[in-house]
Every structure is written in structure tokens, then in C-alpha cells.
Amino acid sequence: MNAEIIAVGSELLLGQIVNTNARFLSQQLAVLGVNVYYHTVVGDNPDRLKTAIEIAEQRSNLIIFTGGLGPTKDDLTKETIARHIGKELVMDQAALESIELYFRKTNRAMTENNRKQALVLDGSHILPNDHGMAPGMVVEDDGHIYMLLPGPPKEMEPMFSQYGALALSLQLETNEQIVSRVLRFFGIGEAALETEIIDIIDRQSNPTIAPLAGDSEVTLRLTAKHIDLNTANSMLDELENTINKRVGEFFYGYDNTSLLEELTKCLKQKKMTIAAAESLTGGMFQQELTSIPGASSVIKGGVVCYSAEVKQNVLKVKQETIEKQGVVSEQCAKELAENVAALVSADIGISFTGVAGPEELEGKPVGTVYIGIAIKGRPTIVEKLNLGGTRNANRIRTVKYGCLYLLRYLKESQNAK
Amino acid sequence: MNAEIIAVGSELLLGQIVNTNARFLSQQLAVLGVNVYYHTVVGDNPDRLKTAIEIAEQRSNLIIFTGGLGPTKDDLTKETIARHIGKELVMDQAALESIELYFRKTNRAMTENNRKQALVLDGSHILPNDHGMAPGMVVEDDGHIYMLLPGPPKEMEPMFSQYGALALSLQLETNEQIVSRVLRFFGIGEAALETEIIDIIDRQSNPTIAPLAGDSEVTLRLTAKHIDLNTANSMLDELENTINKRVGEFFYGYDNTSLLEELTKCLKQKKMTIAAAESLTGGMFQQELTSIPGASSVIKGGVVCYSAEVKQNVLKVKQETIEKQGVVSEQCAKELAENVAALVSADIGISFTGVAGPEELEGKPVGTVYIGIAIKGRPTIVEKLNLGGTRNANRIRTVKYGCLYLLRYLKESQNAK
């Protein structure tokens, strides 16, 4: 099966947003074994969209559309496809009810143009939208499969993963099972990781290995094909072992996990609570930890100690420490970690202090970071980093290093037992 | 002039990278007044690339290619175009010398396939590559302009800005100036905003109005064309006034600003400091505020009071309040805002408490939110929200509503003076 992805939206052609949907769908289709030969972006213009559909029909049998399912007058994807393949648009009761419910829950008035979002192509298979209003749909006509998905990634991605991929697998004829597993690494660059395992990458054809870098992490997607699912999984296990013999110290988890999720899991398992004192990171560690449902069993809270005054008055860092060693120092990180744990009565205290930039501080260069970790009944440790990125990239990496160091320290203490 | 952007590279079709080049070039072309009607992505396959060129020639007179100028065997953009328009590839001495210099400077050995990068289309205008090896080029043939740019954004972007844009302006015949302005709104949905101003949108052709929704905000991009720059700007001013007479209460700023940046500006101007007590939002408000350089003059810090215990022990919320009214209550929000300002000695205290979900809390439904605002010398106010989104969407909207309410209250106090 050959696919083409058509993104509809003038905002893409004006450069207001970037087409991340095409990337996401391409990755997903690769896993399903579908070849993607073209991406197209076209504006909110029915004539030009029609031309794009006609071209796509000549070269692909699966055409996936993203965008243009919104409530406004310039959202015309389903109307254009309906006219093109000669199908009616009909009201989908389930979608309409879900839109009405959304408005009732948010106490907002539903307008007439929101009803338009519940119109679907007659005879299509509906893909529910769990994160927004416009339903997706799949329809077959004259040897082509048309899949319509909403434009916002936070609606489109879960819709495709939950419902779209399944709808497509039913259309695929292969007996081969395709299994995919993502290995996540932090603390090593993409080029360095690739250098370590280049001979393995070059040797492989099944499973395949696809490295990808982003958000200062590196992932390897391993994909195996086999008629037997167990064999495919064993192939992945074996390859994973070979890779982690070389670079296992940087490996931290699978698929869509994050360092913070791994930390949450570990704390829950040990029934330990954590508190944070955040200067450099300004609350990022706590915000991300509390974004995980069920966080309340592991995090009680903490202090954002952006100013020296808050470090001293609220977190009781000694005046001597601030005067002699500064707020960006090993000793300050140590006191912050220990004192925030005490203030909040948590088992673990973690602290982040450093020079965010753009200017240096206390004669220390931008990117100097101290992370303090105080675990009840164990010696407090402080790790130092010298980061070279932008202000925001450094904050993100600092939080991730904090998780990595804490996970390592927690595992050490486990091994010591 | 109508343009199409063709990105060449199988890594795009596999979803390994995202096509940020198309976005960058679209933005740049919009400024130059060039209409972009299509983006296309095609793999490293000469036949499919040839088909894409033929289609583009039928609908655009400017075709910009990114990618496929590298040294390896699968880089075939210029070879394919050369064959298609019947031009030879010739060695460009300046490009060759610059490649040789690059290898000498980095102490690396130059390989034969790097010489290939200095081959250019005969008769083309060369765009120097200041950040890599492959030169860009512009060539005219049979009524079409072909521009070839390298794929890596760090090479392509400066090449276009420094040399490509100028080469294009020389080809453009228009004297019209194009001015664009983005109006940002929060607290109103896209459909509701459009309903309010639908007659204005329908009437307009110059300036044009393009609505866009994302991150729970709505923006309107107004674009005017006129030979006189001042007249174009006045046309935008007039349209902006007309729009804001209807929906001005939701308008908060221009172009790439954010509610947090507007708040920072306002606090700096008033020389006021702020502290936050964050339960529901877990540190998000402070993390975002401190991500803006220079935040230290307006934010001292605050407390992430995720547990009831921290609310009581660190922020001194009365036991009676927690027992009788609960942690998600108007009274709790009031005490949190007032007490965090006192704890940190800030002029303003803001608090966020609510039910994040997935389960309800204290019999209050998911999405119930209280925002407390305590400004020194003024009565503390508490705003209540009923949000209907996901856990994370609700946290983001809560922070934004906090900024909006605080900005309004600060402006009221200004008007009262």
C-alpha cells in the first residue's frame, strides 16, 4: 500500500505552524509497513485541494488528510472530498452529543457552526475524537482509502494511535506481524551513540534500527517483522541486549516514557515522597512531575527559590554560604536539598541552582549548574554540570539530569541493601 | 508570483525529521509578497522527483527545492533538475575552493564525493554557503525560476536570508508593500470569535483576516498590501479598531507575545514583584514566568503546595478552612494568595487551586478551579473557573486565566487612580 499525506491549512503555507502531523503519521505508517511517497500541503482553498486530491489518487491508494475539520467557514476538507467522490454529509449523532457535552461541561454557549463539526461522510467509519470536537473518518471509494483527521496534533495523534492505525491494519493484507520498540537514552549525543553502535546499525536489516534525536534525548526505534509474533519479539530482545551491552548506562526506558515517569514509578514502588527547591529551573521539575496523574502520592510540594532572599528566609540557607560561596555553589545546593525535605517532611529533597544566563553570575559562567540530592539516612550528594545550550534548553536538561542522578542514587542504595 | 516548495529527502517521508524548512521559507516568502500555494515532500528518488517538478511547473512559476545537495549517492536534486531542463553540471571554482578550505580548517581528509558538491547548474546564479559545503543556486528556464537550497536548516536559513531573498526580489516586479500584524485573544473560542466578526471577515479582501486557533488561544493575522507603507499600516490600524470594538475584552497583545510576557512587562513598568502559591498548576506559572530573561526583577519565588499539608504547614492556611471548605475553595485560594505574598515579601500573591483529575475531589468535579489574587493595599479577589479539557490542558488554561485576570485587575487599579 502506498500512502500520501495531505495537510490542509493556509496557516502552514504562511509558515505560521510547522507540519509535525506529516512526520508523526509517516513514523506510524512506517511501522505499519505502508510506504509514504509524498507529503503535500495545500491551503484552505477547495479548488486547489481538489487538484491535490486528483494528483494523489494517481499515485497513492491511501490518502490521509489532516486539518480543515474545524467549525469555521474556511474549514472545507470534508465538504471538498464529499463533492469529489459524490457522497453526502450526514449528521453523526454520537459526535453531536459529544460536542454538546463538551459545551455543557465548560459552561460555554454552543454556536451553530460547531454543529457542522458533527457532519460526516455518508458510509464512513468514524474515528472518535477523545481530545476535541471534530470526529475523524475513513471511507473507501473506487480503490482508494481516504482518511480524514483533525489538524491539532493533540487531537490527531491520539486519534490515529487509538483508532486510525487499527482501521488501517484491517485494510492491509500482509500476514507479517510488525513489532516496534523504542529505546530511550539520555546523557549521550546522537553522533556519539551512533558511533558506538555503527557496526550493529550497518549489519541490521530485520530488525531495523532508526535513531532519532530530540529534546536532548536520543531514541532508537527497533522494528522487527515476522509471521510469528513471539519470534518478532525475541528478535527485538536480542538486538536490545546487544545494543545495551555497549550503551546501557545511558538507557532509561521504553517507548513513550520519560525520565520523570520512570522516577515517579520508582518512588511509588519504594513508597517515598519528594520535595524540590528550584532556583534555576523555576518550578519546571515540580510542574512536570505533577503533570503525571497520581503524582500526589510521591510529591508533596516544594519551593521556587528564585531570589537569594527566598533561599535564605524560606529555605534557611546560611548567610555565610550565600556570602562566601554564593547561591550557585555545592554548599548552597546541599542546604537547599536538605532544608526543603525538612520543611515539607519529605523522604527526599532535590535542588537545582545555577546560572541561567544570558549574563554570568557570581563570576560563574552561564550553564554552571549544581543539583543537590538529599535522601533520608544517606549522605547528601551534589552533582555539577557545565551546560552549553540556551537558557531554556539548559533548564530542560537540568531537570532531566536531576531525574537521572536521583534514579541512579536510588538504585545504588537498592544495590547496597 | 506563485511559489511551491519541494523538499527532497526520504528521511522526511520516514518521519525522522520534520519539514521546518518549508515553514521558514513560507514565512520569508510571505514577507516578500510571494504567494505559496503548495508544499511537497518527495523522497530521494529521481523519477518521483521528476514527476513532482512537472506538477509544480504547471501551477507555480517559482519552485524552491530544499535538500539533496549533499555528497552521497542518494543526493540527486541538481542532477535531476539538470536533466529535466537540459542543462549541464559544471564545476564552480569558488565553491570548490571553499570546500577545500573547509577540510583544511577542520583537519579532515576531503573525499572524492565532496567534489561533487561543487558542481552547479550551468548559467545559474550561485548562492554561497557560509555554514556548510553545498552551494545554492538560482536558474531561470522557460518562464520558471528554480532555486536550489541545501537541506540542513542551519545552512539553508542563513543562505536564503543573506543571498536568496535578494536574488528573488530582483525577479519580483511589484512595488507593493506587504504588512502583517497578528492580534492575540484569550478566553474566547475560535468559533465564538468568528461569529462575532463574521461580517467583517466576509467584507474584507485588503487587508485580509486569517484566524488561527492553538494552545487555547485564538489569533487573527491581518495583512495589508499598498504601495505606500504608511497607508498599509493605517489600513491595519483601522481594521484592528473595528475588530476590537467587538471583541477587545479578549485581546491581549500582538505578534509573538504571550500572556506571561505581557504580565512581565506590566509588572516591570509598575515595579511590582509577584509570588505564587501553586497547587493545581504544580509550578507551571513560576516556571513559565522565570523562562523569560530578566524575570528576576519581577518574581522572587513561591511555593508549590501540592499537598494539603504544605498548604497548612508552609503557607499557613487555617485548619478550619481546609476542614470546612476544602482545599478547592474560594477561601483557600484567598489565604494562599495572601500568605504566599507575605512569606516571600512580594507586592502581589497569586494562587491556583483546583481539581486536576482524573478523579473528583471534595465532591467538586474535575475542572473546578479557583484563582486568588492579592495585591498590596487592595481587596483580594478570587475567580472561579469550570474547565472541561484534559488534565494538562486545564493546567495550561488556568495559568493563562491567572495572567488575564491579574492584568485586568492591575489595569482596573490603574484606572481607579
Side-chain angles (χ1 to χ4, degrees):
Chain A
M1 188 181 281
N2 296 340
E4 171 152 354
I5 300 166
I6 301 182
V8 187
S10 301
E11 63 275 23
L12 287 157
L13 297 179
L14 287 165
Q16 293 176 346
I17 55 172
V18 63
N19 190 7
T20 57
N21 287 343
R23 181 216 198 148
F24 173 85
L25 290 169
S26 296
Q27 286 178 332
Q28 301 293 313
L29 292 167
V31 172
L32 292 169
V34 176
N35 297 313
V36 179
Y37 285 153
Y38 295 94
H39 296 169
T40 298
V41 178
V42 60
D44 300 310
N45 175 299
D47 293 335
R48 284 194 284 272
L49 174 56
K50 184 165 178 285
T51 311
I53 299 171
E54 285 163 358
I55 292 169
E57 284 168 346
Q58 288 163 34
R59 54 196 190 186
S60 308
N61 34 17
L62 167 63
I63 310 174
I64 302 188
F65 300 83
T66 58
L69 302 184
T72 66
K73 281 176 63 179
D74 61 358
D75 292 305
L76 290 164
T77 302
K78 64 192 172 196
E79 290 77 1
T80 306
I81 296 171
R83 241 192 328 271
H84 179 65
I85 62 175
K87 293 215 187 267
E88 294 292 309
L89 288 173
V90 294
M91 186 61 69
D92 183 67
Q93 276 309 318
L96 184 61
E97 278 161 27
S98 129
I99 294 171
E100 286 169 344
L101 180 69
Y102 179 85
F103 278 94
R104 271 202 305 279
K105 266 169 64 182
T106 52
N107 272 328
R108 287 162 55 205
M110 182 166 159
T111 55
E112 187 51 35
N113 49 11
N114 287 117
R115 284 178 64 89
K116 167 169 135 33
Q117 294 193 275
L119 287 172
V120 298
L121 287 161
D122 196 14
S124 60
H125 170 71
I126 303 300
L127 309 174
N129 190 337
D130 295 338
H131 298 85
M133 285 184 277
M137 55 206 97
V138 184
V139 67
E140 264 200 88
D141 185 77
D142 200 15
H144 292 97
I145 302 169
Y146 305 80
M147 177 180 274
L148 286 69
L149 299 169
K154 67 174 184 180
E155 299 178 24
M156 190 279 293
E157 294 183 5
M159 181 186 288
F160 186 85
S161 303
Q162 289 266 334
Y163 310 106
L166 184 67
L168 283 186
S169 338
L170 297 176
Q171 312 269 4
L172 300 172
E173 291 147 23
T174 172
N175 287 320
E176 270 189 340
Q177 305 280 333
I178 297 161
V179 197
S180 195
R181 180 184 302 173
V182 174
L183 310 184
R184 306 190 73 91
F185 299 86
F186 179 70
I188 184 171
E190 187 185 16
L193 182 84
E194 203 179 279
T195 304
E196 291 287 334
I197 59 167
I198 189 72
D199 56 314
I200 308 178
I201 295 180
D202 283 347
R203 256 202 326 263
Q204 288 296 331
S205 62
N206 181 23
T208 56
I209 307 177
L212 183 67
D215 288 337
S216 65
E217 301 193 9
V218 190
T219 63
L220 295 177
R221 178 183 286 273
L222 318 183
T223 307
K225 295 189 190 188
H226 200 275
I227 347 181
D228 178 53
L229 192 64
N230 287 335
T231 310
N233 273 314
S234 306
M235 287 158 71
L236 290 187
D237 291 342
E238 197 183 315
L239 179 58
E240 180 187 330
N241 280 337
T242 312
I243 292 170
N244 275 344
K245 261 181 209 150
R246 310 253 183 106
V247 288
E249 64 179 309
F250 304 102
F251 169 75
Y252 76 84
Y254 298 100
D255 300 319
N256 290 318
T257 189
S258 68
L259 278 157
L260 280 144
E261 272 183 48
E262 294 300 312
L263 178 60
T264 305
K265 264 191 253 169
C266 177
L267 294 175
K268 273 189 185 166
Q269 200 193 332
K270 291 178 184 289
K271 294 196 185 5
M272 291 177 95
T273 58
I274 187 167
E278 301 194 57
S279 177
L280 173 72
T281 49
M284 189 183 279
F285 176 83
Q286 295 171 86
Q287 185 257 307
E288 294 198 2
L289 204 58
T290 55
S291 76
I292 300 167
S296 56
S297 65
V298 300
I299 178 159
K300 296 182 156 189
V303 175
V304 177
C305 49
Y306 209 61
S307 70
E309 209 181 320
V310 175
K311 292 182 183 74
Q312 227 177 315
N313 297 346
V314 181
L315 284 171
K316 313 296 176 202
V317 172
K318 291 184 214 123
Q319 192 163 350
E320 196 193 330
T321 302
I322 290 176
E323 278 168 10
K324 291 205 178 139
Q325 305 182 54
V327 292
V328 179
S329 67
E330 189 177 332
Q331 178 61 23
C332 184
K334 181 173 182 287
E335 290 178 36
L336 286 172
E338 290 172 353
N339 298 357
V340 78
L343 180 74
V344 170
S345 322
D347 303 315
I348 302 168
I350 187 166
S351 69
F352 305 91
T353 181
V355 188
E359 275 116 53
E360 58 169 39
L361 185 70
E362 301 173 344
K364 290 144 195 163
V366 174
T368 310
V369 174
Y370 290 91
I371 299 174
I373 298 176
I375 302 184
K376 218 193 325 196
R378 292 181 56 85
T380 297
I381 59 169
V382 177
E383 302 276 355
K384 187 183 177 186
L385 297 172
N386 297 300
L387 301 177
T390 60
R391 182 182 172 93
N392 218 33
N394 285 348
R395 285 155 56 107
I396 292 169
R397 289 173 70 196
T398 297
V399 167
K400 291 187 177 184
Y401 271 111
C403 294
L404 187 74
Y405 292 141
L406 178 51
L407 277 167
R408 281 190 190 161
Y409 198 34
L410 286 167
K411 277 170 194 159
E412 266 174 46
S413 83
Q414 195 166 33
N415 298 341
K417 280 175 197 165
Chain B
M1 188 182 281
N2 296 337
E4 170 152 355
I5 300 166
I6 301 183
V8 187
S10 300
E11 65 276 24
L12 287 157
L13 296 178
L14 287 166
Q16 293 175 346
I17 56 171
V18 64
N19 190 6
T20 57
N21 287 342
R23 183 216 196 147
F24 173 83
L25 290 169
S26 296
Q27 286 176 332
Q28 301 293 314
L29 292 168
V31 172
L32 291 169
V34 176
N35 296 313
V36 179
Y37 285 152
Y38 296 94
H39 298 169
T40 298
V41 178
V42 59
D44 300 310
N45 176 299
D47 293 335
R48 283 195 284 272
L49 175 55
K50 183 165 178 286
T51 311
I53 299 171
E54 285 164 358
I55 291 169
E57 284 169 346
Q58 287 163 35
R59 54 196 191 187
S60 309
N61 34 18
L62 168 63
I63 309 174
I64 302 188
F65 300 84
T66 59
L69 302 184
T72 66
K73 281 172 62 180
D74 60 0
D75 291 306
L76 290 164
T77 302
K78 64 192 174 198
E79 290 77 359
T80 307
I81 296 171
R83 243 192 327 272
H84 179 65
I85 62 175
K87 293 214 187 270
E88 295 291 310
L89 288 173
V90 294
M91 186 59 71
D92 183 67
Q93 276 308 318
L96 184 62
E97 279 162 28
S98 130
I99 293 172
E100 286 168 344
L101 179 68
Y102 178 85
F103 277 96
R104 273 202 305 279
K105 268 168 61 184
T106 52
N107 271 329
R108 287 162 56 206
M110 182 165 157
T111 56
E112 185 51 35
N113 52 9
N114 287 118
R115 285 178 63 87
K116 167 169 138 20
Q117 294 194 276
L119 288 171
V120 299
L121 287 160
D122 196 14
S124 61
H125 171 71
I126 303 301
L127 308 174
N129 189 337
D130 296 337
H131 299 83
M133 285 183 280
M137 56 206 97
V138 184
V139 65
E140 262 199 89
D141 184 77
D142 200 15
H144 292 97
I145 302 170
Y146 305 82
M147 177 180 272
L148 286 70
L149 299 169
K154 66 173 184 179
E155 299 178 25
M156 189 282 291
E157 294 183 6
M159 181 186 288
F160 186 85
S161 303
Q162 290 265 335
Y163 310 107
L166 183 66
L168 282 187
S169 336
L170 298 175
Q171 313 267 6
L172 298 173
E173 290 146 25
T174 173
N175 289 317
E176 271 188 340
Q177 308 278 335
I178 294 158
V179 197
S180 198
R181 181 183 301 173
V182 174
L183 310 184
R184 306 190 73 91
F185 299 86
F186 178 70
I188 182 170
E190 187 187 14
L193 182 83
E194 197 182 282
T195 303
E196 290 288 332
I197 59 166
I198 189 71
D199 56 315
I200 309 178
I201 295 180
D202 283 348
R203 258 204 322 267
Q204 288 296 332
S205 61
N206 181 24
T208 57
I209 306 176
L212 182 68
D215 288 337
S216 66
E217 301 194 10
V218 189
T219 62
L220 296 176
R221 177 182 287 269
L222 318 183
T223 307
K225 295 189 189 186
H226 200 275
I227 350 179
D228 178 54
L229 191 65
N230 287 334
T231 309
N233 274 313
S234 306
M235 287 158 71
L236 291 186
D237 290 343
E238 198 183 314
L239 179 58
E240 180 187 331
N241 280 336
T242 312
I243 291 170
N244 275 344
K245 260 181 210 151
R246 309 252 184 107
V247 288
E249 64 178 310
F250 304 103
F251 168 76
Y252 76 84
Y254 297 100
D255 300 320
N256 290 318
T257 189
S258 68
L259 277 158
L260 280 144
E261 273 184 48
E262 293 301 311
L263 178 59
T264 305
K265 263 191 252 170
C266 177
L267 293 175
K268 275 190 184 164
Q269 198 193 332
K270 290 179 184 290
K271 297 196 182 4
M272 291 176 95
T273 57
I274 189 167
E278 301 193 57
S279 177
L280 173 71
T281 50
M284 189 184 279
F285 176 82
Q286 296 171 85
Q287 184 257 308
E288 294 199 1
L289 204 58
T290 56
S291 76
I292 299 168
S296 56
S297 65
V298 301
I299 179 158
K300 296 181 156 190
V303 175
V304 177
C305 48
Y306 209 61
S307 71
E309 208 180 321
V310 175
K311 291 182 184 73
Q312 226 177 316
N313 298 345
V314 181
L315 284 171
K316 313 297 177 201
V317 172
K318 290 184 214 124
Q319 191 163 349
E320 196 195 329
T321 302
I322 291 176
E323 279 169 7
K324 293 206 176 139
Q325 304 183 54
V327 293
V328 179
S329 67
E330 189 178 331
Q331 178 61 24
C332 184
K334 181 173 181 287
E335 290 177 36
L336 285 172
E338 290 172 353
N339 298 357
V340 78
L343 179 74
V344 170
S345 321
D347 304 316
I348 302 168
I350 187 166
S351 69
F352 305 90
T353 182
V355 188
E359 276 115 52
E360 58 169 41
L361 184 71
E362 301 173 344
K364 291 145 196 162
V366 173
T368 310
V369 175
Y370 290 91
I371 299 174
I373 298 175
I375 303 184
K376 215 190 329 194
R378 292 181 56 84
T380 298
I381 59 169
V382 177
E383 302 277 354
K384 185 181 179 187
L385 297 172
N386 297 300
L387 301 177
T390 61
R391 183 181 171 92
N392 218 33
N394 285 348
R395 286 155 55 107
I396 293 169
R397 289 174 70 195
T398 297
V399 167
K400 291 187 178 185
Y401 272 111
C403 294
L404 187 74
Y405 292 141
L406 177 51
L407 277 167
R408 280 191 192 162
Y409 198 34
L410 286 168
K411 277 168 195 162
E412 266 175 45
S413 83
Q414 195 167 33
N415 297 341
K417 281 175 196 165

